[in-house]
Short mmCIF file of all heavy atoms in Angstrom, two decimals:
data_model
loop_
_atom_site.label_atom_id
_atom_site.label_comp_id
_atom_site.label_asym_id
_atom_site.label_seq_id
_atom_site.Cartn_x
_atom_site.Cartn_y
_atom_site.Cartn_z
N GLY W 1 85.71 22.30 23.35
CA GLY W 1 85.79 23.46 22.51
C GLY W 1 86.70 23.23 21.33
O GLY W 1 87.48 22.29 21.28
N LEU W 2 86.56 24.10 20.40
CA LEU W 2 87.39 24.08 19.20
C LEU W 2 88.56 25.02 19.38
O LEU W 2 88.43 26.07 19.99
CB LEU W 2 86.59 24.52 17.97
CG LEU W 2 85.40 23.65 17.59
CD1 LEU W 2 84.62 24.31 16.47
CD2 LEU W 2 85.85 22.26 17.19
N ASP W 3 89.69 24.67 18.82
CA ASP W 3 90.86 25.52 18.89
C ASP W 3 90.99 26.31 17.59
O ASP W 3 91.89 26.10 16.80
CB ASP W 3 92.11 24.67 19.14
CG ASP W 3 93.33 25.51 19.43
OD1 ASP W 3 93.17 26.71 19.77
OD2 ASP W 3 94.44 24.97 19.33
N LEU W 4 90.02 27.21 17.35
CA LEU W 4 90.04 28.07 16.16
C LEU W 4 90.71 29.39 16.53
O LEU W 4 90.30 30.04 17.48
CB LEU W 4 88.62 28.36 15.67
CG LEU W 4 87.86 27.21 15.05
CD1 LEU W 4 86.43 27.62 14.78
CD2 LEU W 4 88.53 26.75 13.77
N LEU W 5 91.71 29.76 15.78
CA LEU W 5 92.39 31.03 16.02
C LEU W 5 91.80 32.07 15.08
O LEU W 5 92.26 32.25 13.96
CB LEU W 5 93.90 30.87 15.79
CG LEU W 5 94.58 29.81 16.66
CD1 LEU W 5 96.03 29.65 16.25
CD2 LEU W 5 94.47 30.18 18.13
N LEU W 6 90.75 32.74 15.54
CA LEU W 6 90.03 33.67 14.69
C LEU W 6 90.07 35.09 15.22
O LEU W 6 89.21 35.89 14.89
CB LEU W 6 88.56 33.23 14.56
CG LEU W 6 88.30 31.85 14.00
CD1 LEU W 6 86.80 31.57 13.97
CD2 LEU W 6 88.90 31.70 12.62
N SER W 7 91.05 35.43 16.03
CA SER W 7 91.07 36.76 16.61
C SER W 7 91.50 37.81 15.59
O SER W 7 92.44 37.61 14.83
CB SER W 7 91.98 36.80 17.82
OG SER W 7 93.30 36.50 17.44
N SER W 8 90.78 38.90 15.55
CA SER W 8 91.08 40.01 14.66
C SER W 8 90.28 41.21 15.13
O SER W 8 89.24 41.07 15.76
CB SER W 8 90.68 39.67 13.22
OG SER W 8 90.78 40.81 12.40
N GLU W 9 90.75 42.38 14.78
CA GLU W 9 89.98 43.59 15.07
C GLU W 9 88.81 43.73 14.11
O GLU W 9 87.90 44.50 14.36
CB GLU W 9 90.89 44.82 14.99
CG GLU W 9 91.93 44.86 16.09
CD GLU W 9 92.80 46.11 16.01
OE1 GLU W 9 92.47 47.05 15.27
OE2 GLU W 9 93.82 46.13 16.71
N ASP W 10 88.82 42.97 13.01
CA ASP W 10 87.77 43.08 12.00
C ASP W 10 86.52 42.26 12.33
O ASP W 10 85.46 42.52 11.79
CB ASP W 10 88.30 42.62 10.64
CG ASP W 10 89.42 43.51 10.14
OD1 ASP W 10 89.42 44.71 10.48
OD2 ASP W 10 90.30 43.01 9.42
N TYR W 11 86.62 41.27 13.20
CA TYR W 11 85.47 40.43 13.54
C TYR W 11 85.69 39.84 14.93
O TYR W 11 86.81 39.76 15.43
CB TYR W 11 85.26 39.32 12.52
CG TYR W 11 86.52 38.58 12.17
CD1 TYR W 11 86.99 37.55 12.97
CD2 TYR W 11 87.26 38.92 11.05
CE1 TYR W 11 88.15 36.89 12.67
CE2 TYR W 11 88.43 38.26 10.73
CZ TYR W 11 88.87 37.23 11.55
OH TYR W 11 90.03 36.57 11.25
N ASN W 12 84.59 39.38 15.55
CA ASN W 12 84.67 38.76 16.88
C ASN W 12 83.79 37.52 16.98
O ASN W 12 83.41 37.12 18.07
CB ASN W 12 84.33 39.76 17.98
CG ASN W 12 82.94 40.34 17.83
OD1 ASN W 12 82.18 39.89 17.00
ND2 ASN W 12 82.62 41.31 18.65
N SER W 13 83.46 36.92 15.82
CA SER W 13 82.64 35.72 15.80
C SER W 13 82.98 34.89 14.57
O SER W 13 83.63 35.38 13.63
CB SER W 13 81.15 36.10 15.76
OG SER W 13 80.85 36.72 14.52
N ILE W 14 82.51 33.65 14.56
CA ILE W 14 82.71 32.81 13.38
C ILE W 14 81.98 33.42 12.19
O ILE W 14 82.50 33.43 11.08
CB ILE W 14 82.24 31.37 13.64
CG1 ILE W 14 83.20 30.69 14.62
CG2 ILE W 14 82.15 30.58 12.35
CD1 ILE W 14 82.81 29.28 15.00
N GLY W 15 80.78 33.96 12.42
CA GLY W 15 80.04 34.61 11.34
C GLY W 15 80.82 35.77 10.74
O GLY W 15 80.89 35.92 9.52
N GLY W 16 81.41 36.60 11.59
CA GLY W 16 82.22 37.71 11.12
C GLY W 16 83.43 37.24 10.35
O GLY W 16 83.82 37.83 9.33
N PHE W 17 84.06 36.15 10.79
CA PHE W 17 85.19 35.57 10.08
C PHE W 17 84.77 35.12 8.69
O PHE W 17 85.46 35.40 7.70
CB PHE W 17 85.76 34.38 10.88
CG PHE W 17 86.81 33.62 10.13
CD1 PHE W 17 88.09 34.13 9.99
CD2 PHE W 17 86.52 32.39 9.56
CE1 PHE W 17 89.06 33.43 9.29
CE2 PHE W 17 87.47 31.68 8.87
CZ PHE W 17 88.76 32.20 8.73
N VAL W 18 83.64 34.43 8.59
CA VAL W 18 83.17 33.94 7.30
C VAL W 18 82.89 35.11 6.36
O VAL W 18 83.31 35.10 5.19
CB VAL W 18 81.92 33.04 7.46
CG1 VAL W 18 81.31 32.69 6.10
CG2 VAL W 18 82.27 31.77 8.23
N PHE W 19 82.20 36.16 6.84
CA PHE W 19 81.96 37.36 6.04
C PHE W 19 83.29 37.91 5.52
O PHE W 19 83.43 38.24 4.35
CB PHE W 19 81.29 38.46 6.87
CG PHE W 19 79.80 38.41 6.90
CD1 PHE W 19 79.13 37.85 7.97
CD2 PHE W 19 79.05 38.96 5.87
CE1 PHE W 19 77.75 37.83 8.02
CE2 PHE W 19 77.67 38.94 5.90
CZ PHE W 19 77.02 38.37 6.98
N SER W 20 84.28 38.01 6.40
CA SER W 20 85.58 38.58 6.05
C SER W 20 86.28 37.74 4.98
O SER W 20 86.84 38.27 4.02
CB SER W 20 86.45 38.68 7.30
OG SER W 20 87.73 39.16 6.99
N GLU W 21 86.26 36.43 5.14
CA GLU W 21 86.93 35.54 4.19
C GLU W 21 86.26 35.56 2.82
O GLU W 21 86.94 35.54 1.80
CB GLU W 21 86.95 34.11 4.72
CG GLU W 21 87.90 33.91 5.88
CD GLU W 21 89.35 34.11 5.47
OE1 GLU W 21 89.85 33.33 4.65
OE2 GLU W 21 89.97 35.06 6.00
N LEU W 22 84.93 35.59 2.79
CA LEU W 22 84.21 35.58 1.52
C LEU W 22 84.25 36.94 0.82
O LEU W 22 84.22 37.01 -0.40
CB LEU W 22 82.75 35.16 1.74
CG LEU W 22 82.51 33.71 2.13
CD1 LEU W 22 81.04 33.50 2.46
CD2 LEU W 22 82.97 32.77 1.03
N GLY W 23 84.26 38.01 1.62
CA GLY W 23 84.23 39.35 1.04
C GLY W 23 82.88 39.73 0.46
O GLY W 23 82.78 40.65 -0.35
N ARG W 24 81.84 39.02 0.87
CA ARG W 24 80.48 39.26 0.40
C ARG W 24 79.50 38.62 1.36
O ARG W 24 79.91 37.90 2.27
CB ARG W 24 80.27 38.69 -1.01
CG ARG W 24 80.49 37.19 -1.06
CD ARG W 24 80.11 36.59 -2.40
NE ARG W 24 80.50 35.21 -2.52
CZ ARG W 24 79.88 34.19 -1.96
NH1 ARG W 24 78.81 34.37 -1.22
NH2 ARG W 24 80.31 32.95 -2.13
N LEU W 25 78.22 38.87 1.15
CA LEU W 25 77.21 38.21 1.98
C LEU W 25 77.26 36.70 1.72
O LEU W 25 77.27 36.28 0.56
CB LEU W 25 75.81 38.73 1.66
CG LEU W 25 75.52 40.17 2.10
CD1 LEU W 25 74.15 40.59 1.59
CD2 LEU W 25 75.59 40.29 3.61
N PRO W 26 77.32 35.91 2.74
CA PRO W 26 77.37 34.46 2.55
C PRO W 26 76.03 33.89 2.14
O PRO W 26 74.98 34.46 2.41
CB PRO W 26 77.79 33.94 3.92
CG PRO W 26 77.34 34.98 4.87
CD PRO W 26 77.41 36.29 4.14
N GLN W 27 76.10 32.75 1.48
CA GLN W 27 74.92 31.99 1.08
C GLN W 27 75.05 30.59 1.67
O GLN W 27 76.17 30.10 1.85
CB GLN W 27 74.84 31.88 -0.45
CG GLN W 27 74.72 33.20 -1.16
CD GLN W 27 73.40 33.87 -0.85
OE1 GLN W 27 72.35 33.23 -0.85
NE2 GLN W 27 73.44 35.15 -0.55
N PRO W 28 73.94 29.92 1.96
CA PRO W 28 74.03 28.54 2.43
C PRO W 28 74.85 27.70 1.44
O PRO W 28 74.69 27.82 0.23
CB PRO W 28 72.58 28.08 2.48
CG PRO W 28 71.81 29.35 2.73
CD PRO W 28 72.55 30.40 1.94
N GLY W 29 75.77 26.92 1.98
CA GLY W 29 76.64 26.09 1.15
C GLY W 29 78.02 26.69 0.95
O GLY W 29 78.96 25.98 0.59
N ASP W 30 78.19 28.01 1.18
CA ASP W 30 79.52 28.63 1.10
C ASP W 30 80.41 28.01 2.15
O ASP W 30 79.96 27.67 3.25
CB ASP W 30 79.46 30.13 1.33
CG ASP W 30 78.88 30.90 0.16
OD1 ASP W 30 78.86 30.36 -0.97
OD2 ASP W 30 78.47 32.06 0.36
N SER W 31 81.70 27.87 1.85
CA SER W 31 82.64 27.26 2.77
C SER W 31 83.96 28.02 2.77
O SER W 31 84.39 28.53 1.74
CB SER W 31 82.88 25.80 2.33
OG SER W 31 83.66 25.13 3.27
N VAL W 32 84.58 28.12 3.95
CA VAL W 32 85.89 28.74 4.10
C VAL W 32 86.74 27.84 4.99
O VAL W 32 86.22 26.99 5.71
CB VAL W 32 85.81 30.17 4.70
CG1 VAL W 32 85.01 31.10 3.79
CG2 VAL W 32 85.22 30.15 6.09
N SER W 33 88.06 28.03 4.95
CA SER W 33 88.98 27.27 5.79
C SER W 33 89.55 28.15 6.87
O SER W 33 89.79 29.34 6.66
CB SER W 33 90.12 26.71 4.94
OG SER W 33 89.63 25.77 4.02
N ALA W 34 89.81 27.53 8.03
CA ALA W 34 90.44 28.21 9.16
C ALA W 34 91.32 27.21 9.88
O ALA W 34 90.80 26.31 10.55
CB ALA W 34 89.39 28.78 10.10
N GLY W 35 92.62 27.32 9.70
CA GLY W 35 93.52 26.34 10.33
C GLY W 35 93.21 24.95 9.83
O GLY W 35 93.19 24.72 8.62
N ASN W 36 92.95 24.03 10.74
CA ASN W 36 92.62 22.65 10.36
C ASN W 36 91.13 22.41 10.23
O ASN W 36 90.67 21.28 10.37
CB ASN W 36 93.18 21.68 11.41
CG ASN W 36 94.68 21.64 11.41
OD1 ASN W 36 95.31 21.87 10.38
ND2 ASN W 36 95.27 21.36 12.54
N PHE W 37 90.37 23.45 10.00
CA PHE W 37 88.91 23.34 9.96
C PHE W 37 88.32 23.91 8.68
O PHE W 37 88.83 24.88 8.13
CB PHE W 37 88.28 24.08 11.15
CG PHE W 37 88.69 23.52 12.48
CD1 PHE W 37 89.78 24.03 13.16
CD2 PHE W 37 87.97 22.49 13.06
CE1 PHE W 37 90.17 23.52 14.38
CE2 PHE W 37 88.34 21.97 14.29
CZ PHE W 37 89.44 22.47 14.95
N SER W 38 87.23 23.31 8.24
CA SER W 38 86.38 23.88 7.19
C SER W 38 85.11 24.36 7.87
O SER W 38 84.58 23.67 8.75
CB SER W 38 86.02 22.83 6.14
OG SER W 38 87.15 22.45 5.41
N ILE W 39 84.64 25.52 7.46
CA ILE W 39 83.42 26.09 8.03
C ILE W 39 82.44 26.29 6.89
O ILE W 39 82.72 27.03 5.95
CB ILE W 39 83.71 27.43 8.72
CG1 ILE W 39 84.78 27.26 9.81
CG2 ILE W 39 82.43 28.02 9.29
CD1 ILE W 39 85.33 28.57 10.33
N ARG W 40 81.31 25.58 6.94
CA ARG W 40 80.30 25.70 5.89
C ARG W 40 79.07 26.41 6.44
O ARG W 40 78.57 26.07 7.52
CB ARG W 40 79.89 24.33 5.37
CG ARG W 40 78.90 24.45 4.20
CD ARG W 40 78.60 23.14 3.55
NE ARG W 40 77.77 22.34 4.46
CZ ARG W 40 77.52 21.05 4.25
NH1 ARG W 40 78.04 20.42 3.23
NH2 ARG W 40 76.76 20.39 5.09
N VAL W 41 78.59 27.39 5.71
CA VAL W 41 77.38 28.13 6.08
C VAL W 41 76.18 27.22 5.85
O VAL W 41 75.98 26.70 4.75
CB VAL W 41 77.26 29.42 5.24
CG1 VAL W 41 75.97 30.16 5.58
CG2 VAL W 41 78.47 30.32 5.44
N GLU W 42 75.39 27.04 6.88
CA GLU W 42 74.20 26.19 6.80
C GLU W 42 72.93 27.01 6.62
O GLU W 42 72.04 26.60 5.88
CB GLU W 42 74.08 25.32 8.05
CG GLU W 42 75.19 24.28 8.16
CD GLU W 42 75.09 23.24 7.07
OE1 GLU W 42 74.05 22.55 7.00
OE2 GLU W 42 76.05 23.11 6.29
N ALA W 43 72.82 28.15 7.33
CA ALA W 43 71.60 28.95 7.25
C ALA W 43 71.95 30.42 7.40
O ALA W 43 72.81 30.80 8.18
CB ALA W 43 70.62 28.54 8.35
N VAL W 44 71.25 31.25 6.61
CA VAL W 44 71.43 32.70 6.63
C VAL W 44 70.05 33.33 6.73
O VAL W 44 69.12 32.90 6.06
CB VAL W 44 72.14 33.21 5.36
CG1 VAL W 44 72.25 34.71 5.34
CG2 VAL W 44 73.50 32.56 5.21
N GLN W 45 69.91 34.33 7.60
CA GLN W 45 68.67 35.11 7.69
C GLN W 45 69.03 36.56 7.45
O GLN W 45 69.79 37.14 8.21
CB GLN W 45 68.04 34.94 9.07
CG GLN W 45 66.81 35.79 9.27
CD GLN W 45 65.59 34.95 9.55
OE1 GLN W 45 65.66 33.75 9.68
NE2 GLN W 45 64.46 35.60 9.64
N GLU W 46 68.49 37.13 6.38
CA GLU W 46 68.82 38.49 5.95
C GLU W 46 70.33 38.61 5.79
O GLU W 46 70.90 37.94 4.97
CB GLU W 46 68.21 39.52 6.89
CG GLU W 46 66.69 39.47 6.89
CD GLU W 46 66.05 40.47 7.80
OE1 GLU W 46 66.72 41.44 8.20
OE2 GLU W 46 64.86 40.31 8.08
N ASN W 47 71.02 39.42 6.57
CA ASN W 47 72.47 39.55 6.42
C ASN W 47 73.22 38.92 7.59
O ASN W 47 74.35 39.26 7.87
CB ASN W 47 72.88 41.02 6.26
CG ASN W 47 72.58 41.83 7.50
OD1 ASN W 47 71.84 41.40 8.37
ND2 ASN W 47 73.17 43.00 7.59
N ARG W 48 72.59 37.95 8.26
CA ARG W 48 73.19 37.33 9.44
C ARG W 48 73.30 35.81 9.25
O ARG W 48 72.34 35.16 8.84
CB ARG W 48 72.32 37.63 10.66
CG ARG W 48 72.86 37.09 11.94
CD ARG W 48 71.90 37.41 13.07
NE ARG W 48 72.44 36.92 14.31
CZ ARG W 48 73.03 37.69 15.21
NH1 ARG W 48 73.12 38.98 15.01
NH2 ARG W 48 73.51 37.17 16.31
N ILE W 49 74.48 35.27 9.56
CA ILE W 49 74.65 33.82 9.52
C ILE W 49 73.97 33.24 10.75
O ILE W 49 74.28 33.61 11.88
CB ILE W 49 76.15 33.46 9.50
CG1 ILE W 49 76.80 33.96 8.21
CG2 ILE W 49 76.32 31.95 9.65
CD1 ILE W 49 78.30 33.78 8.18
N GLU W 50 73.03 32.34 10.53
CA GLU W 50 72.29 31.72 11.62
C GLU W 50 72.98 30.46 12.13
O GLU W 50 72.95 30.18 13.33
CB GLU W 50 70.87 31.37 11.17
CG GLU W 50 70.01 32.58 10.92
CD GLU W 50 69.59 33.28 12.20
OE1 GLU W 50 69.22 32.60 13.16
OE2 GLU W 50 69.66 34.52 12.23
N SER W 51 73.58 29.67 11.22
CA SER W 51 74.27 28.47 11.67
C SER W 51 75.36 28.08 10.67
O SER W 51 75.27 28.38 9.48
CB SER W 51 73.28 27.30 11.86
OG SER W 51 72.73 26.92 10.64
N VAL W 52 76.38 27.42 11.21
CA VAL W 52 77.48 26.91 10.41
C VAL W 52 77.76 25.47 10.84
O VAL W 52 77.38 25.05 11.94
CB VAL W 52 78.78 27.74 10.57
CG1 VAL W 52 78.61 29.15 10.06
CG2 VAL W 52 79.29 27.72 11.99
N LEU W 53 78.43 24.72 9.98
CA LEU W 53 78.92 23.39 10.30
C LEU W 53 80.43 23.46 10.24
O LEU W 53 81.00 23.91 9.24
CB LEU W 53 78.39 22.37 9.29
CG LEU W 53 78.81 20.93 9.48
CD1 LEU W 53 78.29 20.39 10.81
CD2 LEU W 53 78.30 20.08 8.33
N VAL W 54 81.09 23.06 11.33
CA VAL W 54 82.55 23.09 11.39
C VAL W 54 83.05 21.66 11.30
O VAL W 54 82.58 20.77 12.02
CB VAL W 54 83.03 23.75 12.71
CG1 VAL W 54 84.54 23.76 12.77
CG2 VAL W 54 82.47 25.16 12.84
N HIS W 55 83.99 21.44 10.38
CA HIS W 55 84.53 20.11 10.15
C HIS W 55 86.04 20.17 10.23
O HIS W 55 86.65 21.06 9.65
CB HIS W 55 84.07 19.60 8.77
CG HIS W 55 84.29 18.16 8.56
ND1 HIS W 55 85.39 17.68 7.92
CD2 HIS W 55 83.56 17.08 8.93
CE1 HIS W 55 85.32 16.35 7.88
NE2 HIS W 55 84.23 15.98 8.49
N GLU W 56 86.66 19.22 10.93
CA GLU W 56 88.11 19.23 11.13
C GLU W 56 88.87 18.58 9.98
O GLU W 56 88.34 17.73 9.27
CB GLU W 56 88.44 18.50 12.44
CG GLU W 56 89.84 18.75 12.91
CD GLU W 56 90.09 18.24 14.30
OE1 GLU W 56 89.22 17.56 14.86
OE2 GLU W 56 91.15 18.53 14.83
N ASP W 57 90.13 19.01 9.81
CA ASP W 57 91.10 18.39 8.91
C ASP W 57 90.90 18.70 7.43
O ASP W 57 91.34 17.93 6.59
CB ASP W 57 91.16 16.88 9.09
CG ASP W 57 91.72 16.49 10.43
OD1 ASP W 57 92.56 17.24 10.98
OD2 ASP W 57 91.33 15.44 10.93
N TYR W 58 90.29 19.79 7.08
CA TYR W 58 90.13 20.21 5.68
C TYR W 58 89.39 19.20 4.82
O TYR W 58 89.38 19.31 3.62
CB TYR W 58 91.49 20.48 5.02
CG TYR W 58 92.22 21.65 5.56
CD1 TYR W 58 93.38 21.47 6.27
CD2 TYR W 58 91.76 22.95 5.37
CE1 TYR W 58 94.09 22.54 6.78
CE2 TYR W 58 92.46 24.02 5.88
CZ TYR W 58 93.62 23.82 6.57
OH TYR W 58 94.31 24.87 7.07
N LEU W 59 88.81 18.18 5.40
CA LEU W 59 88.08 17.22 4.59
C LEU W 59 86.80 17.87 4.09
O LEU W 59 86.16 18.62 4.82
CB LEU W 59 87.73 15.98 5.40
CG LEU W 59 88.92 15.16 5.90
CD1 LEU W 59 88.43 14.02 6.78
CD2 LEU W 59 89.72 14.62 4.74
N PRO W 60 86.43 17.62 2.85
CA PRO W 60 85.19 18.22 2.36
C PRO W 60 84.01 17.77 3.21
O PRO W 60 83.95 16.62 3.63
CB PRO W 60 85.06 17.68 0.93
CG PRO W 60 86.39 17.13 0.59
CD PRO W 60 87.09 16.79 1.87
N ILE W 61 83.09 18.66 3.44
CA ILE W 61 81.89 18.33 4.19
C ILE W 61 80.90 17.74 3.20
O ILE W 61 80.55 18.37 2.20
CB ILE W 61 81.28 19.58 4.86
CG1 ILE W 61 82.33 20.19 5.81
CG2 ILE W 61 80.01 19.24 5.60
CD1 ILE W 61 81.97 21.55 6.33
N PRO W 62 80.47 16.49 3.42
CA PRO W 62 79.58 15.87 2.44
C PRO W 62 78.24 16.58 2.37
O PRO W 62 77.72 17.05 3.36
CB PRO W 62 79.41 14.43 2.97
CG PRO W 62 79.84 14.48 4.39
CD PRO W 62 80.77 15.65 4.54
N ASP W 63 77.70 16.65 1.15
CA ASP W 63 76.37 17.25 0.97
C ASP W 63 75.34 16.29 1.54
O ASP W 63 75.46 15.07 1.43
CB ASP W 63 76.07 17.47 -0.51
CG ASP W 63 76.90 18.58 -1.10
OD1 ASP W 63 77.27 19.51 -0.34
OD2 ASP W 63 77.22 18.52 -2.30
N GLU W 64 74.32 16.87 2.17
CA GLU W 64 73.23 16.06 2.68
C GLU W 64 72.36 15.63 1.53
O GLU W 64 72.14 16.36 0.58
CB GLU W 64 72.40 16.85 3.69
CG GLU W 64 73.16 17.16 4.96
CD GLU W 64 72.31 17.89 5.97
OE1 GLU W 64 71.08 17.79 5.88
OE2 GLU W 64 72.89 18.54 6.84
N GLU W 65 71.88 14.41 1.59
CA GLU W 65 70.99 13.92 0.52
C GLU W 65 69.58 13.82 1.01
O GLU W 65 69.26 13.78 2.10
CB GLU W 65 71.47 12.55 0.05
CG GLU W 65 72.83 12.66 -0.62
CD GLU W 65 73.30 11.33 -1.15
OE1 GLU W 65 72.48 10.46 -1.46
OE2 GLU W 65 74.51 11.16 -1.26
#
C-alpha cells in the first residue's frame, strides 16, 4: 500500500483529493502533489475520475509517447 495521508472531512478518496486540490473538474493530464507523491489524472468520465497514476518522490511523470 501507499502511505498517502489524505484524510479530510472534505473528501474520502484520491479522486476527491484531486478535485479539492484543483478546485475544478479535473482533466486527463492534470497533476497534484501529496506528500512524497505526484498524482496524475489518467481518465475522467463525466464528473468522475476513473483512473490516476501515482508516482513517488515528486519526480515528473513522463508523458507516454
